[in-house]
Amino acid sequence: MTRLSFEHIIRQIQELPSLPVVVLELLSSMDQDDTDVHVLAQKIELDQALAAKTLRIANSSFYGMQSKVTSIPQAVSVLGFHSIRTVVTACALTGSFAPVSGGFDFQAFWRHSLATAIAARLLAPHLRVNPETAFTAGLLHDLGTLVLVTRFPDEHALVRSHRQAQDCQMAEAELAVIGIDHAQVGSALAAYWKFPEAIQQAVADHHAIERLDAGGLPLAVHLANAVALGLDLAGVDDALVPPLSATGWRSVALDEPAWLALLRQTEHTFDEMSRIMLA
């Protein structure tokens, strides 16, 4: 087996390129309401690709605008700071890790991340969590996988082989082969990039059933991850739905018709958002 020390992983994290400045500013300001939205709009406009995607999402059914949004200042004004932060972060992150050769399906990874983000946003009101923060946490929840794939490609190839041979969860395979799982790695990356503590905790604990009884953002991501896998929105043939927190599942307090409606909305929204963000 190929064990990786946490210190070695941290050194590799510190060599990763920084996120765009505007994204770092947005993520660090999650708990602030005094951000200058005019300055934010100007920064978004400097990145033409980011601005174009932001406008396409602002005009999608995801936000249900009654009239067409034609400029970034208008999008910021109409959608508000929290929603724009979500959109810009999502657009920037999906292009922040360059794919590497070796058999890892980056498209499937981002499809699953986006599906989890959408499901987390829909579950958030039932768990008394901010929907935009839930979307961001859902999008980020598996970032540790990208660190392992891009910085330790040979070791991660062994992990994927072990997972397939044992028909087990990816986190189980990671612990068996390299001694650390993607949630721990992702939490370290979130801390290095100075994400809010709530995001760091959600990334760290989305598989930690024993720590999810308190509810909140980690539980929203935990359940959303299961929803995304259950709906197979990543298009992966051998995806497994992970064990669920029974207490957490009950705490959502949705009956069967409500769950079915949420699943349909997740699929519908994913179809539209994936065409915009993952094209």
Side-chain angles (χ1 to χ4, degrees), residues 126 249 252-265:
H126 305 286
W249 186 264
V252 181
L254 293 177
D255 58 18
E256 184 175 345
W259 267 115
L260 291 174
L262 186 144
L263 295 177
R264 286 194 296 270
Q265 185 61 45

Side-chain angles (χ1 to χ4, degrees), residues 68-245:
K68 187 173 180 62
V69 177
T70 58
S71 69
I72 294 300
Q74 183 188 5
V76 173
S77 175
V78 173
L79 294 181
F81 168 65
H82 294 289
S83 295
I84 283 294
R85 179 186 60 211
T86 299
V87 170
V88 172
T89 301
C91 292
L93 278 172
T94 53
S96 62
F97 283 81
V100 296
S101 59
F104 182 77
D105 191 337
F106 278 81
Q107 184 73 1
F109 173 87
W110 284 118
R111 286 175 63 85
H112 171 67
S113 297
L114 178 59
T116 302
I118 291 166
R121 188 177 187 270
L122 293 171
L123 284 163
H126 305 286
L127 294 166
R128 294 174 294 283
V129 173
N130 180 281
E132 303 301 334
T133 302
F135 183 97
T136 303
L139 190 74
L140 299 172
H141 78 288
D142 277 346
L143 273 186
T145 298
L146 289 186
V147 175
L148 294 172
V149 168
T150 58
R151 309 307 290 189
F152 305 97
D154 294 339
E155 291 85 350
H156 200 268
L158 293 175
V159 169
R160 297 197 300 276
S161 296
H162 180 92
R163 195 205 74 78
Q164 189 170 32
Q166 300 298 319
D167 194 27
C168 63
Q169 297 291 331
M170 183 62 76
E172 294 177 50
E174 290 162 346
L175 290 171
V177 175
I178 61 177
I180 192 169
D181 68 22
H182 64 274
Q184 296 170 279
V185 177
S187 179
L189 175 59
Y192 177 67
W193 275 344
K194 296 183 172 58
F195 292 175
E197 288 188 10
I199 298 286
Q200 295 179 37
Q201 183 179 2
V203 172
D205 288 350
H206 69 275
H207 288 307
I209 291 178
E210 70 282 359
R211 294 197 294 274
L212 292 173
D213 286 353
L217 193 58
L219 178 59
V221 175
H222 169 77
L223 295 175
N225 177 61
V227 167
L229 288 168
L231 292 172
D232 191 26
L233 295 178
V236 177
D237 291 339
D238 59 351
L240 298 175
V241 177
L244 285 172
S245 164

